[in-house]
Amino acid sequence: MTGRDGRIVVVGASLAGLRAAETLRDEGFTGSLTVVGEERHEPYDRPPLSKQVLLGRVPPDHVALPARRPVDADWRLGVRATGLDLEKRLVRLSDGADLPFDRLLVATGVRARPWPDEAQAALDGVVGVRTLEDARGLLERLEAGPRRVLVIGAGFTGSEMASVCRERGLDVVVAERGGAPLIGALGGVLAEVAADIQRAHGVDLRCGVTVTALEGDGRGRLARARLSDGAALEVDVAVVALGAVRNTEWLAGSGLAAGPRGVACDAGCHAFDLNGVVTDDVFVAGDVARFPHPVYEYQLLALEHWGNAVAQAEVAAHNMVSPGVRKRPHLSLPAFWSSQFGVNIKSLGVPSFADEVAVVQGSVEERRFVAVYGYQGRVTAAVAFDQAMWLDFYGRLIEAAAPFPPGFDTVGRPGKPEVLPADVPDPAVLSHGPTVAVTGHLPDERRVTLLRPPG
Amino acid sequence: MTTETLLRRITDYGNRADPYPLYEELRATPVARQEDGTRLVGTYREILHLLHDPRISSDLRNRRHRERAAPDDEDDQGLPPAFLKLDPPAHDRMRRLFMRHFGPPHSPRRVSALGEELPGIITGLVDGLAGRNRIDVVDDFAYPFPVTVICRLLGVPREDEPRFHVWADAVVASIDPGPEENPGERRRAGQQAKAEMGLYMSGLMADRRGSPRDDMLSGLVNDDIADSGVEPVELVTNSVLLFVAGHETTVNLIANGMLTLLRNPEVLADLRAAPAAMPQAVEELLRFEPPVHMLTQRTPLTDVEIAGVVIPEGVPLSLVLASGNRDPQRFTDPDRFDPWRPDNQHLGFGGGVHGCFGAPLARLEAQLALTELIRRLDSPRLAADPPEYRRNPVLRGPRRLLVDFDGMRP
Amino acid sequence: MRLMVDLNRCQGYGQCVFLAPEVFSLHGEEALLYDAAPDEGQIERVRRAAAACPVQAILVEEGPRAGLDTEADRDRA
């Protein structure tokens, strides 16, 4: 068997699985290719669900992903992988079949974290926002004109849902355990801006509280929610936006380093086994992967980012069919976007990997600005609110480990920026590793160079 | 020859027909210092980065060398600078205000609605050429077409063309960076023309105050700008800018387009057979023969290191877009005109917050115009190659483009 | 026809909105929304939009596939 033939199985038929399959064929893989997907749909795009679909601007089925090229593959959709036997090189499927492979890509992604109480979760009116079916159900409820919607959790999905509700003219309460919306992703300074935006748009934002119970009307319909501060809210719909759970249960006992935080792999997307030894023939990509990023001191990052799913799938697929010297590291900077309340939020780097933050362009009051995050004197992230055109410049600063705070004037904002504590929720996860720079532009040139050893 | 004289050689009219060898020479030096202190940058990646670099100002008041701080701005008869020459946040405010009447999010359908009118205008012009066997693509088509369109868009009476033609020529001559022919005099003439156009434009706007028509001037003059931080006089200056830009650059795009297609007859034949590829062909044209060859108004606010070279704070910085577009590090076989080129992220419209305001309209005009010209003209060929060029090295294009043909198809 | 925009690359130039306003729209100043399975009648405009994107972020798959084929999904299920 050479790199270009044999049997490849891709488990996961969403964005990462599709792009990996395309890349495998693009790179000349001529063997048999099987793609397994739990959802019965062909690959579709999730970000539009919480935006244009729920706003009612496009029908829910208008989310199929276009193909970059025709892919000759056996698509096993509506079938779940239930187990992995590394000895026999078999993936076990929910329909009882065993799929033999020579190389395997794990791209099973994540699912929405369900409401913890099963009986309450089963109430009519309690919904999530992850899958097409979720979006269909929620759309129907929003169009029915509920008197009040409760959004549980003010991360990106929850905040986008609050935005959708307000744009539809619906009363919405957002309950967030943290001090402000988006605080986990953006830190306290920008989270306050996000909170102001929500309130200015009429969201009933309640932070520092949790929802303690969802109660029915006795006929199985959601009627009210109880909050930890004693409040009781009459609500018709509760959107559960409590983050995600990684789909790794099927790998339990397989011998891979898989668990609730994802499947650990190296920068070349090779999965680790339980002993921390890289496997030769099992690869990981997308939301389910935990991989070391040199810019972030080789900490294992698990990113639920659209762009990471694409980039990592491409690297994984390339490495699956390439000999050692031709393999590539997955070095893309983490990047994501969110649109809510008519504001385009874009991020590069890891904003939670920071001890300080400074607004370097634009104005927070106008809600058009760029904020740069720093950790121990170097730039680690940048976030733009309606200022997307400038962001790549800061990406280059991150890759070069440029000094923080930036010491230069920017157009329209002369003088030194005010540096504030980053106020990220759990700075304890930060460590003291080496400082590196990412260099090179073409995929085969991207490399890491050491700037400063661990200090 | 030394790279210090590159700008002089690029502006030398003798090199107008083919500046590309000079650009190749330029790309060998990432940042080329000129005799007068100007830095020229001609490599793709560096230009792209500088276009998006917040340390680079478009406001000439940030130049340290005051004598280079083009007097046409400071002494513009008291008129404020157009947004092209402003930095954020003033630039952003003004541009957004104009965008309200041109494009998304407030007027997303304006350009595509105008696009519905373009085929009629084009057909009218082309029909007028029937019975001839030689035309000047510039005077017979590439000039009158976009002028008609920009008049329609803004709400400027087409019949005033003889007046504003003279003004626009003077304005364009005034931004010619060439040292010859008394630049001081040209600048003064340009300022005078802008002032007269300003008065003319104010008159048109006054007519529309309270009685709006379906045009941009009506939208602008009846908009509530109280909270925008924009002064009414700025609406006038910027309307003049859009009017001049909207007519000078598209002329070049269409004329360069015909010239390029006639030099590449197999591409012309392919496009005639498959007009669906015309949008890509126009993008390739914007790479291959862009209507604006360089941006001459930039100034670093601080020392900026790029490609290992420091561009000092306050010096004049020019980005040679047409050179970046031919950079072999970015584009395979860059001197080949190839409409089917993948991933064509050209610099033809600049980029970043100052990216060409009228780009979508220019694209549509060029696509529809070139499609129709090559469809209707039977066996077109160049009567002279190279054609006679306009003097201006920045807004570069033919002054005359004589084309012979055997007849007009219906 | 199917399409997708890489919104990490998108910088809000809005060229697609100008050229195919029934398919693409801005939500606020620069957040892009779009219909990933537009009517076939939009094909010419979508081609224009994709060609014009300054960061080449628009992927178009021309052909008979459009929205998710939920009928086929049901049959399969």
Side-chain angles (χ1 to χ4, degrees), chain B residues 208-253:
Chain B
R208 284 158 174 76
R209 191 167 289 120
S211 47
R213 305 170 204 176
D214 176 27
D215 57 44
M216 264 185 87
L217 290 183
S218 294
L220 286 164
V221 78
N222 292 299
D223 206 356
D224 178 14
I225 61 166
D227 297 327
S228 68
V230 172
E231 298 294 329
V233 65
E234 294 177 294
L235 298 183
V236 176
T237 349
N238 284 288
S239 298
V240 169
L241 166 77
L242 289 187
F243 186 59
V244 174
H247 80 262
E248 290 300 334
T249 51
T250 315
V251 183
N252 290 340
L253 183 58

Short mmCIF file of all heavy atoms in Angstrom, two decimals, chain B residues 208-253:
data_model
loop_
_atom_site.label_atom_id
_atom_site.label_comp_id
_atom_site.label_asym_id
_atom_site.label_seq_id
_atom_site.Cartn_x
_atom_site.Cartn_y
_atom_site.Cartn_z
N ARG B 208 -32.28 70.00 -5.90
CA ARG B 208 -32.89 68.76 -5.42
C ARG B 208 -33.32 68.80 -3.96
O ARG B 208 -33.97 67.88 -3.49
CB ARG B 208 -31.91 67.60 -5.63
CG ARG B 208 -31.84 67.17 -7.07
CD ARG B 208 -30.55 66.46 -7.39
NE ARG B 208 -30.57 65.94 -8.74
CZ ARG B 208 -30.41 66.69 -9.83
NH1 ARG B 208 -30.20 67.99 -9.71
NH2 ARG B 208 -30.45 66.14 -11.03
N ARG B 209 -32.90 69.87 -3.29
CA ARG B 209 -33.26 69.96 -1.87
C ARG B 209 -34.78 70.08 -1.77
O ARG B 209 -35.37 71.00 -2.31
CB ARG B 209 -32.55 71.14 -1.21
CG ARG B 209 -32.68 71.13 0.31
CD ARG B 209 -31.71 72.10 0.97
NE ARG B 209 -30.32 71.66 0.89
CZ ARG B 209 -29.35 72.35 0.29
NH1 ARG B 209 -29.60 73.51 -0.26
NH2 ARG B 209 -28.13 71.87 0.26
N GLY B 210 -35.39 69.14 -1.10
CA GLY B 210 -36.84 69.19 -0.94
C GLY B 210 -37.60 68.61 -2.12
O GLY B 210 -38.78 68.30 -2.00
N SER B 211 -36.96 68.48 -3.28
CA SER B 211 -37.66 67.84 -4.41
C SER B 211 -36.77 66.77 -5.03
O SER B 211 -36.17 66.96 -6.08
CB SER B 211 -38.07 68.87 -5.46
OG SER B 211 -37.00 69.75 -5.76
N PRO B 212 -36.64 65.66 -4.31
CA PRO B 212 -35.70 64.61 -4.72
C PRO B 212 -36.13 63.90 -6.00
O PRO B 212 -37.32 63.78 -6.29
CB PRO B 212 -35.73 63.64 -3.53
CG PRO B 212 -37.02 63.89 -2.84
CD PRO B 212 -37.35 65.33 -3.06
N ARG B 213 -35.12 63.48 -6.76
CA ARG B 213 -35.35 62.61 -7.91
C ARG B 213 -34.65 61.28 -7.62
O ARG B 213 -34.07 61.12 -6.56
CB ARG B 213 -34.77 63.24 -9.18
CG ARG B 213 -35.31 64.65 -9.41
CD ARG B 213 -34.55 65.35 -10.52
NE ARG B 213 -34.68 66.80 -10.35
CZ ARG B 213 -34.06 67.69 -11.12
NH1 ARG B 213 -33.26 67.30 -12.10
NH2 ARG B 213 -34.22 68.98 -10.90
N ASP B 214 -34.66 60.40 -8.59
CA ASP B 214 -34.04 59.09 -8.37
C ASP B 214 -32.54 59.17 -8.72
O ASP B 214 -32.09 58.62 -9.71
CB ASP B 214 -34.74 58.04 -9.25
CG ASP B 214 -34.07 56.68 -9.12
OD1 ASP B 214 -33.47 56.41 -8.07
OD2 ASP B 214 -34.15 55.89 -10.10
N ASP B 215 -31.78 59.87 -7.91
CA ASP B 215 -30.34 59.95 -8.15
C ASP B 215 -29.60 60.18 -6.82
O ASP B 215 -30.22 60.49 -5.81
CB ASP B 215 -30.00 61.03 -9.19
CG ASP B 215 -30.52 62.41 -8.79
OD1 ASP B 215 -30.35 62.78 -7.63
OD2 ASP B 215 -31.09 63.10 -9.66
N MET B 216 -28.28 60.00 -6.86
CA MET B 216 -27.49 60.07 -5.63
C MET B 216 -27.46 61.48 -5.03
O MET B 216 -27.48 61.64 -3.82
CB MET B 216 -26.06 59.60 -5.88
CG MET B 216 -25.82 58.16 -5.53
SD MET B 216 -24.07 57.71 -5.72
CE MET B 216 -23.41 58.17 -4.11
N LEU B 217 -27.36 62.50 -5.87
CA LEU B 217 -27.31 63.86 -5.32
C LEU B 217 -28.57 64.15 -4.52
O LEU B 217 -28.51 64.75 -3.44
CB LEU B 217 -27.15 64.88 -6.45
CG LEU B 217 -25.80 64.91 -7.18
CD1 LEU B 217 -25.79 66.02 -8.23
CD2 LEU B 217 -24.64 65.09 -6.21
N SER B 218 -29.71 63.69 -5.02
CA SER B 218 -30.96 63.90 -4.28
C SER B 218 -30.89 63.22 -2.92
O SER B 218 -31.28 63.79 -1.91
CB SER B 218 -32.13 63.32 -5.06
OG SER B 218 -32.34 64.02 -6.25
N GLY B 219 -30.38 61.99 -2.92
CA GLY B 219 -30.27 61.26 -1.66
C GLY B 219 -29.37 62.00 -0.69
O GLY B 219 -29.71 62.19 0.49
N LEU B 220 -28.22 62.46 -1.19
CA LEU B 220 -27.25 63.11 -0.32
C LEU B 220 -27.78 64.40 0.27
O LEU B 220 -27.66 64.66 1.46
CB LEU B 220 -25.97 63.40 -1.12
CG LEU B 220 -25.11 62.19 -1.42
CD1 LEU B 220 -24.10 62.50 -2.52
CD2 LEU B 220 -24.38 61.72 -0.15
N VAL B 221 -28.40 65.20 -0.58
CA VAL B 221 -28.78 66.54 -0.14
C VAL B 221 -30.00 66.49 0.77
O VAL B 221 -30.21 67.39 1.58
CB VAL B 221 -28.97 67.47 -1.36
CG1 VAL B 221 -30.31 67.23 -2.02
CG2 VAL B 221 -28.82 68.92 -0.95
N ASN B 222 -30.78 65.43 0.67
CA ASN B 222 -31.96 65.32 1.53
C ASN B 222 -31.76 64.40 2.73
O ASN B 222 -32.68 64.15 3.48
CB ASN B 222 -33.16 64.87 0.70
CG ASN B 222 -33.59 65.93 -0.29
OD1 ASN B 222 -33.94 67.04 0.10
ND2 ASN B 222 -33.49 65.62 -1.57
N ASP B 223 -30.53 63.91 2.89
CA ASP B 223 -30.22 63.03 4.01
C ASP B 223 -30.06 63.87 5.27
O ASP B 223 -29.66 65.03 5.20
CB ASP B 223 -28.92 62.28 3.72
CG ASP B 223 -28.85 60.96 4.45
OD1 ASP B 223 -29.77 60.66 5.24
OD2 ASP B 223 -27.88 60.23 4.25
N ASP B 224 -30.38 63.28 6.40
CA ASP B 224 -30.16 63.98 7.66
C ASP B 224 -28.73 63.73 8.10
O ASP B 224 -28.38 62.64 8.53
CB ASP B 224 -31.16 63.46 8.71
CG ASP B 224 -30.94 64.13 10.06
OD1 ASP B 224 -30.22 65.16 10.10
OD2 ASP B 224 -31.49 63.63 11.05
N ILE B 225 -27.87 64.74 7.96
CA ILE B 225 -26.47 64.53 8.32
C ILE B 225 -26.11 65.23 9.63
O ILE B 225 -24.95 65.35 9.99
CB ILE B 225 -25.51 65.01 7.20
CG1 ILE B 225 -25.67 66.51 6.93
CG2 ILE B 225 -25.72 64.20 5.93
CD1 ILE B 225 -24.52 67.08 6.10
N ALA B 226 -27.15 65.67 10.34
CA ALA B 226 -26.90 66.45 11.56
C ALA B 226 -25.96 65.74 12.53
O ALA B 226 -25.06 66.34 13.09
CB ALA B 226 -28.23 66.78 12.23
N ASP B 227 -26.16 64.42 12.71
CA ASP B 227 -25.36 63.69 13.70
C ASP B 227 -24.14 63.00 13.10
O ASP B 227 -23.43 62.27 13.77
CB ASP B 227 -26.23 62.63 14.39
CG ASP B 227 -27.37 63.28 15.15
OD1 ASP B 227 -27.17 64.40 15.67
OD2 ASP B 227 -28.45 62.68 15.22
N SER B 228 -23.90 63.21 11.82
CA SER B 228 -22.85 62.43 11.16
C SER B 228 -21.47 63.06 11.32
O SER B 228 -20.46 62.42 11.06
CB SER B 228 -23.15 62.30 9.67
OG SER B 228 -23.03 63.57 9.06
N GLY B 229 -21.40 64.30 11.76
CA GLY B 229 -20.11 64.97 11.85
C GLY B 229 -19.61 65.41 10.49
O GLY B 229 -18.47 65.83 10.34
N VAL B 230 -20.46 65.33 9.46
CA VAL B 230 -20.06 65.71 8.11
C VAL B 230 -20.69 67.07 7.79
O VAL B 230 -21.85 67.33 8.10
CB VAL B 230 -20.54 64.65 7.09
CG1 VAL B 230 -20.30 65.13 5.67
CG2 VAL B 230 -19.83 63.33 7.34
N GLU B 231 -19.89 67.98 7.21
CA GLU B 231 -20.38 69.30 6.83
C GLU B 231 -20.98 69.25 5.43
O GLU B 231 -20.49 68.51 4.57
CB GLU B 231 -19.21 70.29 6.82
CG GLU B 231 -18.52 70.48 8.16
CD GLU B 231 -19.43 71.15 9.18
OE1 GLU B 231 -20.28 71.96 8.78
OE2 GLU B 231 -19.30 70.83 10.37
N PRO B 232 -22.02 70.06 5.18
CA PRO B 232 -22.63 70.06 3.84
C PRO B 232 -21.61 70.29 2.72
O PRO B 232 -21.71 69.68 1.65
CB PRO B 232 -23.63 71.21 3.91
CG PRO B 232 -23.98 71.32 5.36
CD PRO B 232 -22.75 70.93 6.12
N VAL B 233 -20.61 71.16 2.97
CA VAL B 233 -19.63 71.44 1.92
C VAL B 233 -18.86 70.16 1.53
O VAL B 233 -18.42 69.99 0.41
CB VAL B 233 -18.68 72.58 2.33
CG1 VAL B 233 -17.83 72.16 3.51
CG2 VAL B 233 -17.78 72.99 1.17
N GLU B 234 -18.73 69.25 2.50
CA GLU B 234 -18.02 68.00 2.21
C GLU B 234 -18.81 67.12 1.24
O GLU B 234 -18.24 66.34 0.50
CB GLU B 234 -17.73 67.24 3.51
CG GLU B 234 -16.75 68.00 4.41
CD GLU B 234 -16.51 67.30 5.73
OE1 GLU B 234 -17.44 67.20 6.54
OE2 GLU B 234 -15.37 66.86 5.93
N LEU B 235 -20.12 67.25 1.28
CA LEU B 235 -20.93 66.51 0.31
C LEU B 235 -20.57 66.97 -1.09
O LEU B 235 -20.50 66.18 -2.03
CB LEU B 235 -22.43 66.75 0.57
CG LEU B 235 -22.98 66.28 1.91
CD1 LEU B 235 -24.49 66.54 1.96
CD2 LEU B 235 -22.70 64.80 2.12
N VAL B 236 -20.33 68.27 -1.23
CA VAL B 236 -20.00 68.82 -2.55
C VAL B 236 -18.64 68.32 -3.02
O VAL B 236 -18.52 67.77 -4.12
CB VAL B 236 -20.03 70.37 -2.50
CG1 VAL B 236 -19.58 70.94 -3.85
CG2 VAL B 236 -21.42 70.87 -2.13
N THR B 237 -17.61 68.48 -2.17
CA THR B 237 -16.26 68.03 -2.58
C THR B 237 -16.27 66.57 -2.98
O THR B 237 -15.64 66.19 -3.97
CB THR B 237 -15.25 68.08 -1.40
OG1 THR B 237 -15.81 68.78 -0.32
CG2 THR B 237 -13.93 68.63 -1.84
N ASN B 238 -16.93 65.75 -2.19
CA ASN B 238 -16.89 64.33 -2.47
C ASN B 238 -17.73 63.95 -3.68
O ASN B 238 -17.40 63.01 -4.40
CB ASN B 238 -17.33 63.54 -1.23
CG ASN B 238 -16.24 63.51 -0.19
OD1 ASN B 238 -15.23 62.84 -0.37
ND2 ASN B 238 -16.40 64.28 0.87
N SER B 239 -18.79 64.70 -3.93
CA SER B 239 -19.57 64.45 -5.14
C SER B 239 -18.72 64.75 -6.37
O SER B 239 -18.76 64.03 -7.37
CB SER B 239 -20.84 65.30 -5.17
OG SER B 239 -21.66 64.95 -4.07
N VAL B 240 -17.93 65.82 -6.28
CA VAL B 240 -17.02 66.16 -7.38
C VAL B 240 -16.02 65.02 -7.58
O VAL B 240 -15.78 64.57 -8.70
CB VAL B 240 -16.29 67.50 -7.11
CG1 VAL B 240 -15.16 67.71 -8.12
CG2 VAL B 240 -17.29 68.65 -7.14
N LEU B 241 -15.47 64.54 -6.48
CA LEU B 241 -14.50 63.44 -6.57
C LEU B 241 -15.12 62.22 -7.25
O LEU B 241 -14.54 61.64 -8.16
CB LEU B 241 -14.02 63.04 -5.17
CG LEU B 241 -13.28 61.70 -5.10
CD1 LEU B 241 -11.86 61.84 -5.63
CD2 LEU B 241 -13.27 61.14 -3.70
N LEU B 242 -16.32 61.85 -6.81
CA LEU B 242 -16.96 60.65 -7.38
C LEU B 242 -17.24 60.86 -8.86
O LEU B 242 -17.08 59.95 -9.68
CB LEU B 242 -18.27 60.34 -6.66
CG LEU B 242 -18.15 59.82 -5.24
CD1 LEU B 242 -19.52 59.40 -4.73
CD2 LEU B 242 -17.19 58.64 -5.17
N PHE B 243 -17.64 62.07 -9.20
CA PHE B 243 -17.96 62.36 -10.59
C PHE B 243 -16.71 62.21 -11.48
O PHE B 243 -16.74 61.53 -12.50
CB PHE B 243 -18.55 63.77 -10.69
CG PHE B 243 -19.05 64.10 -12.06
CD1 PHE B 243 -20.04 63.34 -12.64
CD2 PHE B 243 -18.53 65.18 -12.75
CE1 PHE B 243 -20.51 63.64 -13.92
CE2 PHE B 243 -18.99 65.49 -14.02
CZ PHE B 243 -19.98 64.73 -14.61
N VAL B 244 -15.62 62.80 -11.03
CA VAL B 244 -14.38 62.73 -11.82
C VAL B 244 -13.88 61.29 -11.86
O VAL B 244 -13.57 60.74 -12.92
CB VAL B 244 -13.30 63.67 -11.24
CG1 VAL B 244 -11.98 63.46 -11.98
CG2 VAL B 244 -13.76 65.11 -11.32
N ALA B 245 -13.82 60.66 -10.67
CA ALA B 245 -13.31 59.28 -10.61
C ALA B 245 -14.20 58.37 -11.45
O ALA B 245 -13.71 57.50 -12.16
CB ALA B 245 -13.26 58.82 -9.16
N GLY B 246 -15.50 58.57 -11.34
CA GLY B 246 -16.45 57.70 -12.05
C GLY B 246 -16.34 57.86 -13.54
O GLY B 246 -16.78 57.02 -14.30
N HIS B 247 -15.73 58.98 -14.01
CA HIS B 247 -15.61 59.01 -15.43
C HIS B 247 -14.23 58.79 -15.96
O HIS B 247 -14.11 58.35 -17.06
CB HIS B 247 -16.25 60.18 -15.97
CG HIS B 247 -16.16 61.47 -16.20
ND1 HIS B 247 -16.69 62.43 -15.42
CD2 HIS B 247 -15.71 62.05 -17.27
CE1 HIS B 247 -16.57 63.54 -16.04
NE2 HIS B 247 -15.97 63.36 -17.15
N GLU B 248 -13.24 59.01 -15.17
CA GLU B 248 -11.88 58.89 -15.71
C GLU B 248 -11.35 57.45 -15.69
O GLU B 248 -10.57 57.06 -16.55
CB GLU B 248 -10.93 59.80 -14.92
CG GLU B 248 -11.18 61.26 -15.17
CD GLU B 248 -11.00 61.65 -16.64
OE1 GLU B 248 -10.24 60.97 -17.35
OE2 GLU B 248 -11.65 62.62 -17.08
N THR B 249 -11.74 56.70 -14.70
CA THR B 249 -11.10 55.39 -14.54
C THR B 249 -11.77 54.32 -15.41
O THR B 249 -11.09 53.48 -15.98
CB THR B 249 -11.18 54.95 -13.08
OG1 THR B 249 -12.52 55.07 -12.65
CG2 THR B 249 -10.30 55.82 -12.21
N THR B 250 -13.09 54.41 -15.52
CA THR B 250 -13.78 53.39 -16.31
C THR B 250 -13.44 53.51 -17.79
O THR B 250 -13.41 52.51 -18.51
CB THR B 250 -15.31 53.50 -16.07
OG1 THR B 250 -15.52 53.65 -14.67
CG2 THR B 250 -16.01 52.26 -16.52
N VAL B 251 -13.17 54.74 -18.23
CA VAL B 251 -12.72 54.94 -19.61
C VAL B 251 -11.49 54.05 -19.86
O VAL B 251 -11.41 53.32 -20.85
CB VAL B 251 -12.32 56.41 -19.85
CG1 VAL B 251 -11.91 56.60 -21.31
CG2 VAL B 251 -13.44 57.35 -19.47
N ASN B 252 -10.53 54.15 -18.95
CA ASN B 252 -9.31 53.35 -19.10
C ASN B 252 -9.59 51.86 -19.05
O ASN B 252 -9.00 51.08 -19.80
CB ASN B 252 -8.31 53.69 -17.99
CG ASN B 252 -7.74 55.08 -18.16
OD1 ASN B 252 -7.78 55.65 -19.25
ND2 ASN B 252 -7.22 55.63 -17.08
N LEU B 253 -10.46 51.46 -18.13
CA LEU B 253 -10.74 50.04 -17.99
C LEU B 253 -11.30 49.46 -19.29
O LEU B 253 -10.86 48.40 -19.76
CB LEU B 253 -11.71 49.81 -16.82
CG LEU B 253 -12.06 48.37 -16.49
CD1 LEU B 253 -10.82 47.55 -16.17
CD2 LEU B 253 -13.04 48.30 -15.31
#
